[in-house]
């Protein structure tokens, strides 16, 4: 947290405190269960959620679809935005966001994505589509690695 605070980030004690008074919030959460808990726990306090929630969650598009549908009832836009590049990409500044959801919300959030990653690609209007795109990207990358190893080891 300290490196972010040194760059004018604001440390908070809870997700609720983090989103109070902001228009746009990013959340990077470890599992579908945590994603749902954070999103739905705030439904009783809708006024505290930002207008746009840009998020990177699990690899299950059904989770982000359910969260987006529920938050839309409170006029909260969810952008599905998984990250490619892993820890090595984070250190090198070469991360990539795959983003799906409302196009206008994406354009509004694009400068923030650009600050977080080298590339942010809009892949479509349906939340969950970015999750599918990331999985496809990972599969193509894995196939490339297998091809390189096969060639180096002269496998059939």
């Amino acid at each position: 947290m300290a490196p972010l605070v040194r760059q004018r980030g604001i440390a908070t004690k809870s997700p609720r405190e983090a989103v109070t008074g902001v228009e746009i919030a990013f959340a990077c959460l470890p599992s579908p269960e945590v994603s749902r808990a954070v999103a739905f726990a705030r439904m009783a306090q809708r006024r505290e959620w930002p207008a746009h929630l840009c998020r990177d969650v699990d690899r299950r598009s059904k989770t982000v679809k359910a969260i987006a549908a529920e938050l839309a009832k409170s006029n909260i836009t969810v952008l599905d935005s998984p990250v490619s590049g892993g820890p090595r990409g984070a250190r090198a500044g070469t991360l990539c966001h795959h983003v799906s959801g409302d196009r206008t919300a994406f354009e509004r959030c694009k400068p923030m994505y650009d600050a977080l990653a080298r590339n942010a690609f809009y892949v479509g209007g349906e939340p969950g589509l970015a999750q599918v795109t990331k999985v496809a990207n990972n599969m193509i990358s894995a196939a490339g690695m297998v091809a390189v190893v096969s060639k180096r080891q002269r496998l059939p």
Side-chain angles (χ1 to χ4, degrees), residues 86-104:
R88 182 182 302 162
R91 285 188 294 277
T94 59
L95 293 176
C96 173
H97 280 277
H98 309 258
V99 186
S100 63
D102 180 75
R103 180 69 186 229
T104 302

Side-chain angles (χ1 to χ4, degrees), residues 5 7 33 53 57 71 88 92 99 110 120 126 132 140 144:
V5 171
Q7 293 185 31
E33 296 76 24
L53 179 65
V57 293
L71 294 181
R88 182 182 302 162
V99 186
K110 181 80 164 71
E126 181 181 337
V132 173
I140 292 166

Side-chain angles (χ1 to χ4, degrees), residues 71-156:
L71 294 181
K73 296 174 186 175
S74 297
N75 294 317
I76 298 169
T77 303
V78 172
L79 293 176
D80 173 25
S81 55
V83 180
S84 288
R88 182 182 302 162
R91 285 188 294 277
T94 59
L95 293 176
C96 173
H97 280 277
H98 309 258
V99 186
S100 63
D102 180 75
R103 180 69 186 229
T104 302
F106 169 72
E107 293 300 334
R108 181 155 169 74
C109 294
K110 181 80 164 71
M112 287 163 261
Y113 282 117
D114 290 343
L116 295 169
R118 177 179 286 175
N119 295 299
F121 298 106
Y122 181 76
V123 298
E126 181 181 337
L129 184 58
Q131 299 292 333
V132 173
T133 304
K134 180 181 177 181
V135 169
N137 182 64
N138 288 350
M139 292 174 76
I140 292 166
S141 178
M145 286 188 268
V146 169
V148 168
V149 169
S150 295
K151 183 172 176 107
R152 286 187 181 163
Q153 295 186 6
R154 301 185 202 288
L155 298 175

